[in-house]
Amino acid sequence: MTEPAQQQHFADRLALQQVDRDIFTGWCHSGSPLRAYGGQIAAQSLMAAGRTIDQDDRRVHSLHGYFLRPGDPSKPILYDVDRIRDGKSFSTRRVVAIQNGRAIFNLQASFHVPEAGLDYQQPFPLDVPAPETLPDFKERMEPLKAQLGDILDRPRPIDLRYVSVDPLSRGGVHAETQQVW
C-alpha cells in the first residue's frame, strides 16, 4: 500500500456521519475481535467535538479522555457532543461515546483562538542521519518476527524511525530524550 493510500485509509477510519446537530456515529476497525481500539474512539470523539466548533480559528489545545468500558468493534459508536461553552477565545466540549445505551468513553476538550506567546525550540542537531537511512518498524522488529506474528506485516499509517535505540530495545532503561523521525 502506498503512503498516500495508507494516509487515506487512516483518515477513513476516523470518518463520522452526522445524525443530528450534535450527534455523530462512527465505526471502529475490526482489527481485534474482542474490543474496539481505544485510540480510534478517542480520535473520533475529538473529531465530533471539532465539528461542533463554529469558529474556524479555534484549535484544540487541551483534552482529557476516560475509557469507561470496552467497545464492540462489530457495532457502531454514537458520539453525543455537549456544547458546554463558546466564549470570545475558548470553546469547551464534552463528548460521550455510547454503545448499547452505555457510555464507553468520555472526552473533555477545550478549543482556543491562537495567541502570541512564548516560543522556544531546541536547535536542530547537525549530526542526525537522514530518515531514509534508518530502519523502519518492520526492519527494526524483524528479529522478533516469531513473537509478533502478522503484526509485523500490517500496514502502518505512521512511520517512526529512531535515531538511537528504540524503546523496545532499551531493556527497561528509560531515556531522558530520544531522537525520532
Side-chain angles (χ1 to χ4, degrees):
M1 191 181 290
T2 65
E3 189 172 321
Q6 286 179 345
Q7 290 171 352
Q8 184 59 46
H9 183 64
F10 182 69
D12 290 343
R13 288 186 174 186
L14 300 180
L16 297 173
Q17 180 181 4
Q18 190 163 2
V19 176
D20 204 345
R21 179 176 182 248
D22 296 328
I23 299 174
F24 303 85
T25 58
W27 286 87
C28 213
H29 74 88
S30 57
S32 167
L34 302 176
R35 293 187 179 170
Y37 176 60
Q40 186 177 1
I41 295 169
Q44 286 179 331
S45 296
L46 180 59
M47 295 279 293
R51 287 181 53 186
T52 67
I53 301 295
D54 297 327
Q55 300 85 351
D56 290 338
D57 61 343
R58 296 181 188 215
R59 303 288 180 257
V60 66
H61 79 98
S62 171
L63 68 88
H64 301 271
Y66 301 94
F67 294 94
L68 306 172
R69 293 181 181 84
D72 182 345
S74 68
K75 296 181 180 176
I77 301 169
L78 182 76
Y79 296 94
D80 186 5
V81 181
D82 184 6
R83 297 175 189 233
I84 295 174
R85 180 175 187 273
D86 284 312
K88 281 179 66 175
S89 59
F90 286 91
S91 294
T92 305
R93 299 293 185 264
R94 178 178 44 235
V95 181
V96 180
I98 302 166
Q99 272 189 334
N100 300 321
R102 299 174 71 190
I104 62 170
F105 179 77
N106 280 348
L107 175 95
Q108 179 94 12
S110 180
F111 297 79
H112 183 244
V113 175
E115 294 179 306
L118 296 176
D119 189 14
Y120 174 76
Q121 180 174 328
Q122 290 271 50
F124 190 82
L126 300 176
D127 59 345
V128 177
E132 304 81 35
T133 65
L134 299 170
D136 64 11
F137 176 82
K138 188 171 183 175
E139 293 165 338
R140 279 193 335 267
M141 297 296 121
E142 188 67 35
L144 302 174
K145 186 174 185 165
Q147 292 121 315
L148 295 175
D150 69 336
I151 291 174
L152 195 61
D153 296 318
R154 290 184 189 167
R156 305 190 70 77
I158 299 172
D159 181 17
L160 295 177
R161 299 198 181 205
Y162 292 89
V163 174
S164 57
V165 181
D166 67 87
L168 292 176
S169 302
R170 288 191 200 128
V173 176
H174 296 284
E176 193 171 303
T177 62
Q178 48 182 344
Q179 295 175 325
V180 182
W181 284 103

